[in-house]
Amino acid sequence: MSFIAPRDALAAMLADIATAAAADPAERPALVAAAIAAHLASPDLLAGKACPCNPDRYVRHLLHADPAGGYAVVALAWRPGQMSPVHAHRTWCALGVYRGMLTEGFYQADAAGQPVQTGSVLRMSGATSFGPADPDLIHRLANLGGCDAISIHVYGVAFDRFGEDVNLVYAH
């Protein structure tokens, strides 16, 4: 009888994300979010991965880069009060809150092209969000809680292209 070691939690999530990322483009963001969601309750999901916060801004930590360049998986570490700029995405994306809570604010561009907030949703640990590439899907993530937070994000571009190919920034 041979012993087969169970896959670690992160490897299992990454395998599920890879399967979902290969799906039909119209279904991909929702399927990737579901793949993330299935693993967010695992207490050892990021075991052995250093994902420290930065005192000045939220920070991305690379967890996996698709060898074909089709997507990248990152953990974002947020200190209380840190937030993203108001932005839309140039690529599909999916995220899940692993630890803590985040507030996702939603915006619409006014006649002058300036973002105006239209609502917000509190995303507790285990919650997900996703969307296609769409300049009209404008949002902002913020850690408005009192504790550090970590979220898992998947973007449909290679990690080395994050700077120019992920966010369409409307306001800081």
Side-chain angles (χ1 to χ4, degrees):
M1 175 188 272
S2 63
F3 173 75
I4 299 174
R7 293 187 304 171
D8 69 33
L10 180 58
M13 181 184 73
L14 294 175
D16 289 348
I17 289 170
T19 299
D24 178 90
E27 299 176 18
R28 186 177 297 144
L31 293 174
V32 171
I36 295 168
H39 299 277
L40 292 173
S42 174
D44 60 342
L45 181 62
L46 297 177
K49 293 284 183 186
C51 294
C53 290
N54 179 308
D56 300 321
R57 59 176 180 77
Y58 74 93
V59 61
R60 293 179 179 133
H61 300 281
L62 179 63
L63 300 176
H64 175 73
D66 173 38
Y71 66 93
V73 182
V74 292
L76 273 64
W78 310 79
R79 299 214 15 113
Q82 293 178 337
M83 61 188 68
S84 72
V86 176
H87 65 280
H89 290 279
R90 291 183 168 105
T91 182
W92 64 268
C93 62
L95 71 94
V97 180
Y98 177 60
R99 187 177 307 140
M101 63 182 177
L102 296 174
T103 300
E104 185 173 15
F106 298 99
Y107 298 77
Q108 287 185 341
D110 66 12
Q114 296 301 306
V116 176
Q117 190 165 0
T118 59
S120 62
V121 173
L122 183 62
R123 304 237 184 249
M124 304 297 288
S125 182
T128 62
S129 184
F130 60 89
D134 186 339
D136 295 324
L137 292 177
I138 306 167
H139 75 148
R140 167 185 268 171
L141 292 171
N143 181 357
L144 302 179
C147 301
D148 292 349
I150 296 179
S151 51
I152 308 295
H153 299 242
V154 182
Y155 299 104
V157 297
F159 183 68
D160 63 355
R161 293 181 30 214
F162 270 28
E164 62 271 5
D165 290 344
V166 172
N167 290 341
L168 174 59
V169 176
Y170 285 84
H172 290 278

